[in-house]
């Protein structure tokens, strides 16, 4: 392709893009769901938290599964106490606790914090990390979650992460990404590593 042909092609693409963008002027708080068997659901949510912090926007984060783990995200976000509130309220995966009542109590505490944040217009974004797991195992009821998300402040963004997102949550969402597992080092005997998994 000649330079002139390339330039003409790019002009056409730019004009088409400008026409498309001219009709996109609305703003609203988005419900974003990251689900699927692949890695990167929480990592993507924390990337959006960093974007909010970069713009001086307040972020609330509730972690439904991670508990006593010393994670890089918690260490990093603790540096921004005026802009980020992170509540790590899980007690690990259900196969670790092996106690349904204890898992339900932890999920109820996490949901109470989530509901508080969802009702507060000071939060530009609320991240419900691994809430899909709590919903899947029926540790918290789906109805109040959907109601609180629906009733949140108009410009508040919500990010719900975890495998097996409920069909109703997916239906309500503005953006859904399903992470697909193609290859993972765990299958080759590599354990979870600092800075990658936690």
């Amino acid at each position: 392709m000649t330079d002139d042909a390339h330039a003409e092609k790019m002009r056409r693409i730019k004009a088409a893009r400008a026409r498309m963008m001219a009709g996109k002027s609305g703003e609203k708080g988005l419900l974003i769901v990251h689900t699927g068997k692949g890695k990167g659901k929480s990592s993507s949510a924390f990337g959006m938290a960093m974007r909010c912090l970069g713009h001086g926007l307040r972020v609330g984060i509730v972690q439904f599964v991670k508990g006593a783990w010393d994670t890089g995200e918690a260490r990093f976000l603790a540096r921004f106490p005026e802009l980020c509130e992170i509540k790590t309220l899980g007690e690990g995966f259900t196969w670790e606790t092996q106690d349904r009542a204890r898992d339900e109590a932890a999920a109820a505490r996490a949901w109470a914090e989530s509901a508080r944040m969802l009702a507060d217009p000071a939060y530009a974004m609320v991240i419900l990390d691994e809430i899909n797991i709590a919903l899947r195992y029926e540790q918290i009821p789906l109805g109040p979650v959907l109601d609180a998300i629906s009733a949140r402040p108009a410009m508040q963004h919500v990010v719900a992460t975890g495998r097996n997102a409920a069909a109703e949550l997916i239906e309500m969402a503005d953006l859904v990404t399903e992470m697909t597992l193609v290859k993972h080092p765990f299958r080759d005997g590599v354990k979870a590593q600092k800075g990658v998994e936690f």
Side-chain angles (χ1 to χ4, degrees), residues 38-54:
K39 181 175 164 29
K41 298 175 288 290
S42 296
S43 300
S44 179
F46 290 122
M48 285 189 283
M50 289 176 57
R51 285 179 177 159
C52 285
L53 296 176

Side-chain angles (χ1 to χ4, degrees), residues 119-183:
D120 188 344
Y123 293 99
M125 179 177 283
V126 176
I127 296 173
L128 307 174
D129 187 39
E130 305 287 11
I131 191 171
N132 293 337
I133 292 174
L135 290 169
R136 177 185 180 203
Y137 289 112
E138 299 179 346
Q139 296 168 351
I140 54 174
L142 179 61
V145 172
L146 298 177
D147 291 345
I149 291 171
S150 293
R152 75 189 189 278
M155 288 305 297
Q156 185 184 81
H157 303 299
V158 178
V159 185
T161 74
R163 292 180 179 206
N164 302 110
E168 297 89 341
L169 187 64
I170 289 172
E171 179 64 29
M172 179 189 277
D174 299 287
L175 172 62
V176 179
T177 300
E178 184 169 356
M179 310 294 187
T180 303
L181 177 63
V182 176
K183 196 173 184 181

Side-chain angles (χ1 to χ4, degrees), residues 66-81:
K66 294 182 180 93
W69 301 357
D70 178 22
T71 64
E73 61 263 24
R75 284 184 178 205
F76 175 77
L77 294 167
R79 299 176 187 179
F80 302 91

Side-chain angles (χ1 to χ4, degrees), residues 70-96:
D70 178 22
T71 64
E73 61 263 24
R75 284 184 178 205
F76 175 77
L77 294 167
R79 299 176 187 179
F80 302 91
E82 70 288 350
L83 287 176
C84 185
E85 181 179 8
I86 182 168
K87 298 285 187 177
T88 305
L89 298 170
E91 294 198 17
F93 294 102
T94 54
W95 61 82
E96 291 173 346

